[in-house]
Amino acid sequence: MIIRKLPLDMWEKASEISVFREQKPFVDSVADSLMRIAGEPEDSKLVYNPYGIYSEKELVGFILYTFEDESKDNHWISGFAIDKDYQHQGLGRRALEQLVDFVFVKNPESIEVKVAVSPENTIAKDLFVSIGFKDAGWKKENREVLCFKNKNPLRSPIFIYKPK
């Protein structure tokens, strides 16, 4: 399983990713997530990064990672779906773990990664909590915000890496 940037020529294929009927009220479709990117104003400071989740060479899921340029605390998982045919195989867990690791490696000064989850979506909430997300204590658009704190954010503008 690997996550990698979703090229524009794969957006249509990614839009075919489908979740179970009972999950649909809680999960934005991939097409809706991709339209959000296209509809963002030119002067926005938000940066949208769509990623495909691949098992072998097969596209099996989607993550939309959003951040505000030059921000240390405005990193979000704005979209997440594993196709119903590939759920319950640990792919979503591994993809989320990889994305969180990626955020903190690429942005070591970042404080946290957040996600907003519908309170009724207990399966997704339990997944996020099981990998280390915690209740942030506030809501966004009637969804509970969970955050994964960076355990070692770089607070200094100068960082010198010394290998052991």
Side-chain angles (χ1 to χ4, degrees):
M1 195 281 323
I2 189 167
I3 63 171
R4 65 177 173 250
K5 200 87 174 235
L6 189 67
L8 193 57
D9 66 344
M10 288 294 291
W11 283 25
E12 187 174 339
K13 174 103 172 118
S15 294
E16 297 171 6
I17 292 170
S18 178
V19 297
F20 290 105
R21 184 177 7 166
E22 55 273 10
Q23 295 170 313
K24 288 185 180 190
F26 310 123
V27 179
D28 289 341
S29 72
V30 173
D32 287 344
S33 293
L34 293 171
M35 284 193 305
R36 192 174 330 135
I37 297 170
E40 190 64 24
E42 291 282 329
D43 61 347
S44 174
K45 290 187 176 190
L46 289 178
V47 178
Y48 291 91
N49 287 312
Y51 288 92
I53 302 168
Y54 296 84
S55 177
E56 308 276 326
K57 292 183 180 185
E58 186 72 27
L59 179 65
V60 300
F62 172 80
I63 296 178
L64 181 58
Y65 163 52
T66 307
F67 64 95
E68 187 173 338
D69 209 14
E70 300 178 20
S71 173
K72 294 181 180 168
D73 65 351
N74 204 5
H75 296 263
W76 288 84
I77 296 172
S78 304
F80 175 66
I82 299 293
D83 190 85
K84 64 184 176 213
D85 294 335
Y86 296 92
Q87 290 185 19
H88 308 292
Q89 298 176 27
L91 298 171
R93 170 183 307 282
R94 292 198 319 261
L96 290 170
E97 290 169 343
Q98 277 187 23
L99 181 73
V100 168
D101 286 347
F102 167 79
V103 169
F104 294 143
V105 166
K106 186 170 183 206
N107 307 286
E109 74 287 350
S110 298
I111 298 166
E112 63 189 7
V113 176
K114 296 181 275 285
V115 64
V117 181
S118 296
E120 301 86 15
N121 193 354
T122 56
I123 292 172
K125 186 176 178 180
D126 290 347
L127 172 61
F128 283 105
V129 167
S130 74
I131 64 169
F133 282 79
K134 305 227 183 305
D135 189 344
W138 56 283
K139 292 187 178 193
K140 179 181 179 184
E141 300 169 0
N142 295 325
R143 293 181 175 190
E144 295 175 15
V145 174
L146 306 175
C147 63
F148 190 105
K149 299 273 186 193
N150 187 352
K151 293 172 182 48
N152 298 304
L154 299 178
R155 305 276 184 213
S156 168
I158 299 171
F159 174 71
I160 300 170
Y161 174 70
K162 293 183 180 177
K164 294 179 181 180

